């Protein structure tokens, strides 16, 4: 069991689980230890970094093709962000890695819907370098999208002299 994330009310913990035969799943379990864990996803993808929405009704997580977990070694970059009901079901794609998420670790946080503005999920993505090579710099951007994948915004960019795998955590 990996990447624990507590629900806003503290009654549940969501986590990622993996088996070589079935692949990965997002689960939740009661924090008081009663009852059995509940499997929320079942497509077998390599899943990581679950984050509850502030309302506690959905869980956002990173997913990659199942083969990323089977091959071992370094974990593959995030393939896409998905969201699933806190009661389980089919996860919906929020956004894909088409923009180049290399080195991303998944969602950095999920903001609440406020003043009529929809909730947003924040994540990091690597900005493609125009001059690759041994002495190249790497730029990582903190970006966000709505839970339906629309309205992508860049909030900050950090450029380093090495590929450091910058991550960020955003508190609601």
């Amino acid at each position: 069991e990996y990447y624990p994330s507590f629900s806003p009310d503290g009654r549940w913990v969501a986590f990622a689980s993996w088996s070589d035969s079935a692949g990965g799943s997002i689960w939740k379990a009661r924090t008081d230890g009663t009852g059995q864990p509940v499997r929320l996803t079942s497509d077998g993808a390599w899943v990581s970094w679950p984050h509850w929405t502030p309302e506690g009704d959905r869980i956002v997580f990173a997913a990659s093709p199942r083969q990323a977990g089977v091959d071992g070694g370094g974990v593959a970059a995030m393939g896409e962000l998905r969201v699933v009901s806190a009661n389980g079901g089919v996860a919906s794609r929020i956004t894909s890695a088409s923009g180049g998420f290399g080195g991303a670790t998944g969602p950095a946080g999920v903001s609440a819907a406020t003043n009529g503005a929809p909730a947003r999920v924040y994540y990091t993505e690597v900005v493609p370098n125009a001059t690759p090579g041994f002495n190249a710099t790497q730029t990582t951007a903190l970006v966000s999208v709505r839970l339906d994948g629309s309205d992508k915004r860049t909030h900050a960019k950090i450029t380093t002299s090495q590929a450091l795998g910058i991550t960020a955590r955003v508190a609601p």
Side-chain angles (χ1 to χ4, degrees):
E1 285 49 83
Y2 309 94
Y3 309 107
S5 176
F6 290 91
S7 64
D9 64 9
R11 294 178 34 207
W12 295 93
V13 61
F15 58 91
S17 185
W18 176 263
S19 80
D20 287 342
S21 60
S25 297
I26 298 293
W27 293 72
K28 72 176 184 179
R30 292 191 174 277
T31 56
D32 64 8
T34 62
Q36 293 295 313
V38 178
R39 187 177 186 172
L40 302 178
T41 65
S42 59
D43 67 356
W46 176 264
V47 294
S48 58
W49 299 107
H51 280 267
W52 293 81
T53 59
E55 299 80 13
D57 61 338
R58 293 174 284 181
I59 299 168
V60 175
F61 60 97
S64 294
R66 181 173 183 259
Q67 198 61 35
V70 173
D71 287 340
V75 176
M78 176 179 71
E80 61 188 25
L81 286 175
R82 297 179 185 172
V83 62
V84 67
S85 165
N87 295 321
V90 177
S92 299
R93 184 181 65 80
I94 297 172
T95 190
S96 293
S98 59
F101 289 122
T105 56
V110 182
S111 70
T114 56
N115 298 327
R120 302 186 70 79
V121 59
Y122 293 79
Y123 58 96
T124 58
E125 69 179 13
V126 174
V127 177
N129 189 336
T131 313
F134 182 74
N135 292 319
T137 60
Q138 176 177 314
T139 301
T140 302
L142 175 64
V143 296
S144 71
V145 292
R146 294 179 179 169
L147 290 178
D148 66 3
S150 68
D151 191 27
K152 182 176 179 180
R153 298 179 188 175
T154 299
H155 302 280
K157 290 183 180 180
I158 299 170
T159 301
T160 60
S161 60
Q162 298 176 347
L164 298 176
I166 302 283
T167 60
R169 296 291 170 244
V170 177

